[in-house]
Amino acid sequence: MRYLKIFLILFQWIGLLVVVGCGDDAKSTADGGVDTDSTDDLGDSPLTAVWANSGEDKVAREELRATTDPSGVINAVWNGSQISVAGARNEVVAFNLVLEAGEGAVGDVSVTFDVLNGPNNNLISGRQTSGDGVFDWTDRHIELFYVRYLQIRGLSDVSYNIYDERHVPEKFRRPWSGEGVADPGTGWADRPHADMAYPEIAVPLELVTSFTIPRDMNQSIWCDIYIPKTAAPGLYSGQITVAQQGVTVHQIPVTLKVHGFTLPDTPAVKTMIYLSRSNIDRRHLGEEYPNDPNLVAQSLLITNRYFQLAHRHKLSLIAIEGAARETPSAEWTSRLDGSLFSAANQYDGPGNGVGLNVFSIGTYGSWTWQDEGQAGMQSHANGWVNWFESNHPDVEYFLYLIDESTDYAEIEQWANWVETTPGPGSELLTLATMRIAASSNCPSLDIPATVSGLRTPPDEWEQVSLQYRDASDKRLFMYNGVRPMIGSFATEDDGVSLRATSWIQYKLGVERWFFWSANYWRDNWFGGETNVFQQARTFGEFTEMDDIQGEDGNSYSNGDGVLVYPGTDQLYPDDSYGANGPIGGLRMKHWRRGIQDGDYLALAEAIDPAAVRQIINERVPKGLWEYGVNDVNDP
């Protein structure tokens, strides 16, 4: 009966995605119905509207949606007067509270929400804290975040192409017709959200105890609720309080329905994201490679908190590691055995006590045995396999041979040396990032991590993908994301974009999704250091103002390579919060929701595979190579 309930919830849930248009701004009768005549009666409040959504429909700061039309913001989370969410045990559910100031600036605003009361006196609660206490998640299952905004001054070249306006995120499309051809004479100013400020940086609210909302602006407050594995199923209720100058101006009821089943600690939809230790040290400590023992210890503490934050979002980090050894360094012990993700190290949440499920040896080709020839390669391969099989046989580990190289003969030689190793080293998987069509040049390679592109014909894609998915000693990884065949990581993309990426990953059996960097705060290719709290562009050049794209330049991109932000920033002290750990971004939270969706799908598919596949194919008809191309030279 419990599993039937999971399936019914999945059917209702994934059907709702169509009702709300893969967002949450459409009217719905979910969660107890909607009163479209209901308005948010603020009385004498200086705020002109308070409402909520799931956050996947990003609300730019300049929008006053509810002030203009209260019934127009009704959605699956907000029925006009209360917030309603639902989730399984061991799931993080979330909503986005929007405060609007349509008649004048509103200062000294504060928001509190710290308890949900459930059946039989069960509680899901937060805990008062300050400073680095935000990195202690024990007994802190409700978190609030002050959302910071980044102005979108140009379109992200690496995330989509503008020759077809249908590829561009909807709120940035010029008027178009036919095959996505923009109306003549339209330009950057005709894109509805051109130059608007987009929500992205989720600062723990304990670090921003009160704030001001400028006139004709809104302010989002994001809420994460972790449902413990011990939570009793049933309905929980609580209340958000909004105050100005210490006086309550509004209270919003919140209900949470907890389902009677539990999501797994290890996600069905797997990821890996590169984390730069040197970028952390430079921003937090002011030294790129600290030698002082006290700074080294502080660096490890801070870095481990980045790993914990990713773990809270069911994301897996990799690093430059294992270049010259045949074992991980000592700091990886707690990450791999799971002790870093336990109460002893101030962690609670998904994957409590469960170690990382991936380890990259020599990330980006940083391994140092290239000059040792075949014998050296095979000796190191034996050493690595022996260590992992003796210590962490369940971890997926591989040798990252090289990044985006077209020297396929070299890749094949290295991979073949490993594959033909006498002894256990032959079991070491090898990875290289390359176009899927090039994988035929490297038959010994185990993992061709490939970017999602349109130029490979669908039948070729399908044939190659099946070759890697069906082989026990092969894997198919994808990396980054380019519209329209997959969601993108662009800051200006819809919040549902990364959620959809996980659905497509699950549908097409992609083993792991790789995002090339979590904290690319210094653009080594194009521009040096970036103030990531003030500038949306994180990769590429700004060399001109384009009439159609806005700010433009080689590989111009908003948010590429950045999912987290430094809690302390020695380079830009005016934007530093003095916190010894990371500040997350909303795109992490959208991605997490998609990953959790994958867990629902896996649980349901274990009950009735045919029915679940039918639902997936109906709701996600095309992704990646299924789009097809008319001309591989001009997609």
Side-chain angles (χ1 to χ4, degrees):
M1 192 69 181
R2 177 168 64 93
Y3 295 105
L4 176 61
K5 186 175 182 182
I6 296 173
F7 181 73
L8 292 174
I9 290 168
L10 169 70
F11 190 85
Q12 292 173 330
W13 159 80
I14 204 164
L16 180 63
L17 298 180
V18 177
V19 174
V20 300
C22 289
D24 53 25
D25 58 353
K27 293 179 175 62
S28 167
T29 57
D31 298 316
V34 168
D35 175 9
T36 57
D37 295 324
S38 173
T39 58
D40 189 26
D41 183 8
L42 293 173
D44 296 328
S45 169
L47 300 170
T48 53
V50 176
W51 61 286
N53 68 5
S54 71
E56 291 158 15
D57 173 10
K58 293 183 180 179
V59 182
R61 195 165 203 199
E62 297 84 351
E63 295 184 271
L64 298 176
R65 297 187 193 179
T67 298
T68 303
D69 180 12
S71 66
V73 298
I74 302 300
N75 61 77
V77 169
W78 175 251
N79 71 358
S81 60
Q82 77 170 31
I83 298 167
S84 299
V85 291
R89 292 182 294 235
N90 203 35
E91 179 178 1
V92 178
V93 297
F95 61 83
N96 183 53
L97 183 70
V98 185
L99 312 176
E100 296 183 0
E103 295 180 353
V106 182
D108 196 13
V109 180
S110 59
V111 178
T112 54
F113 172 48
D114 58 9
V115 66
L116 286 160
N117 297 282
N120 300 319
N121 297 317
N122 275 269
L123 300 178
I124 296 175
S125 60
R127 174 169 50 80
Q128 293 292 321
T129 190
S130 62
D132 284 358
V134 300
F135 307 117
D136 181 352
W137 287 283
T138 56
D139 300 320
R140 207 164 132 263
H141 299 147
I142 297 176
E143 293 180 278
L144 295 177
F145 302 90
Y146 173 81
V147 175
R148 289 189 58 160
Y149 299 77
L150 295 167
Q151 187 180 17
I152 305 302
R153 299 185 175 98
L155 297 180
S156 294
D157 284 349
V158 301
S159 301
Y160 41 82
N161 293 300
I162 65 166
Y163 65 85
D164 186 333
E165 290 293 329
R166 295 170 297 179
H167 295 186
V168 177
E170 184 174 0
K171 295 170 186 175
F172 286 86
R173 293 174 188 164
R174 293 181 290 162
W176 60 273
S177 59
E179 300 266 321
V181 178
D183 291 354
T186 60
W188 173 248
D190 298 293
R191 301 187 184 278
H193 279 202
D195 293 318
M196 285 194 178
Y198 255 48
E200 164 57 10
I201 306 168
V203 183
L205 197 58
E206 293 89 345
L207 304 179
V208 187
T209 54
S210 67
F211 51 88
T212 295
I213 308 174
R215 179 175 184 147
D216 295 331
M217 300 283 183
N218 71 64
Q219 176 61 54
S220 282
I221 300 295
W222 187 277
C223 178
D224 277 350
I225 303 170
Y226 172 64
I227 304 173
K229 292 179 181 179
T230 56
L235 194 65
Y236 291 68
S237 60
Q239 186 170 259
I240 296 176
T241 298
V242 181
Q244 194 210 11
Q245 296 179 345
V247 177
T248 297
V249 294
H250 199 59
Q251 292 179 314
I252 307 102
V254 180
T255 63
L256 166 67
K257 182 179 180 180
V258 175
H259 301 307
F261 58 91
T262 304
L263 295 192
D265 283 315
T266 300
V269 175
K270 295 181 174 62
T271 62
M272 67 180 196
I273 309 159
Y274 168 67
L275 181 74
S276 167
R277 177 77 169 268
S278 61
N279 281 351
I280 290 172
D281 290 343
R282 192 171 61 257
R283 293 298 178 105
H284 279 270
L285 305 177
E287 293 187 27
E288 190 161 354
Y289 302 105
N291 292 314
D292 179 88
N294 292 327
L295 287 182
V296 171
Q298 187 177 2
S299 167
L300 179 58
L301 172 68
I302 294 169
T303 301
N304 277 341
R305 286 171 173 167
Y306 279 79
F307 277 86
Q308 289 175 321
L309 182 69
H311 206 66
R312 287 268 299 182
H313 291 78
K314 305 197 91 165
L315 300 169
S316 299
L317 297 179
I318 60 174
I320 299 293
E321 176 64 19
R325 297 183 306 276
E326 295 174 3
T327 65
S329 59
E331 67 186 49
W332 278 82
T333 300
S334 63
R335 299 169 189 167
L336 293 171
D337 68 18
S339 59
L340 176 63
F341 310 112
S342 67
N345 281 300
Q346 302 182 321
Y347 180 85
D348 192 11
N352 195 332
V354 178
L356 294 179
N357 57 43
V358 65
F359 185 87
S360 173
I361 303 166
T363 301
Y364 287 126
S366 60
W367 50 289
T368 58
W369 333 319
Q370 286 91 336
D371 296 332
E372 296 182 24
Q374 182 175 2
M377 175 77 85
Q378 294 179 342
S379 174
H380 287 288
N382 280 327
W384 277 106
V385 172
N386 282 331
W387 189 89
F388 268 101
E389 292 306 305
S390 297
N391 294 278
H392 297 287
D394 294 333
V395 172
E396 185 173 52
Y397 59 98
F398 53 82
L399 176 62
Y400 196 136
L401 293 176
I402 200 166
D403 189 61
E404 296 185 345
S405 170
T406 56
D407 189 344
Y408 304 124
E410 180 179 60
I411 295 171
E412 170 59 19
Q413 182 182 61
W414 286 337
N416 183 259
W417 283 349
V418 173
E419 187 175 64
T420 58
T421 298
S426 61
E427 300 299 315
L428 177 62
L429 299 178
T430 52
L431 174 146
T433 53
M434 63 171 61
R435 288 194 170 274
I436 194 72
S439 62
S440 61
N441 297 308
C442 308
S444 300
L445 184 70
D446 301 307
I447 309 173
T450 187
V451 68
S452 52
L454 280 172
R455 294 186 183 274
T456 303
D459 55 348
E460 185 176 340
W461 260 102
E462 183 71 14
Q463 179 181 356
V464 174
S465 68
L466 287 174
Q467 170 190 338
Y468 284 93
R469 285 182 292 166
D470 293 345
S472 60
D473 59 343
K474 301 287 185 181
R475 306 284 188 273
L476 178 64
F477 289 10
M478 300 291 297
Y479 69 98
N480 300 348
V482 180
R483 277 175 166 254
M485 71 291 295
I486 201 76
S488 86
F489 287 81
T491 302
E492 73 269 24
D493 205 345
D494 302 316
V496 78
S497 181
L498 287 175
R499 188 178 181 190
T501 294
S502 293
W503 305 339
I504 295 167
Q505 180 183 353
Y506 186 93
K507 174 189 177 181
L508 296 176
V510 176
E511 176 77 14
R512 196 174 291 275
W513 207 275
F514 174 30
F515 189 48
W516 69 281
S517 176
N519 62 331
Y520 189 71
W521 302 328
R522 178 168 67 186
D523 189 353
N524 296 315
W525 285 94
F526 295 105
E529 301 289 353
T530 303
N531 184 343
V532 290
F533 288 97
Q534 296 292 338
Q535 180 176 302
R537 176 176 57 88
T538 54
F539 185 83
E541 295 177 298
F542 167 39
T543 55
E544 63 175 341
M545 285 299 300
D546 184 85
D547 292 340
I548 293 174
Q549 291 189 232
E551 288 189 357
D552 193 24
N554 185 14
S555 299
Y556 187 105
S557 179
N558 300 308
D560 194 32
V562 175
L563 292 177
V564 291
Y565 301 82
T568 292
D569 197 331
Q570 300 273 15
L571 299 185
Y572 299 98
D574 289 346
D575 287 291
S576 177
Y577 288 92
N580 292 306
I583 290 173
L586 294 187
R587 286 169 296 149
M588 292 180 72
K589 301 183 183 301
H590 300 316
W591 199 359
R592 175 188 60 202
R593 184 163 189 191
I595 292 167
Q596 292 178 154
D597 292 344
D599 293 331
Y600 274 86
L601 290 167
L603 289 171
E605 192 162 18
I607 304 162
D608 192 335
V612 172
R613 281 293 150 181
Q614 181 179 350
I615 292 172
I616 293 173
N617 290 331
E618 288 175 355
R619 305 308 189 219
V620 192
K622 288 184 179 182
L624 292 175
W625 56 84
E626 294 175 320
Y627 263 92
V629 293
N630 294 324
D631 180 349
V632 295
N633 296 311
D634 183 15

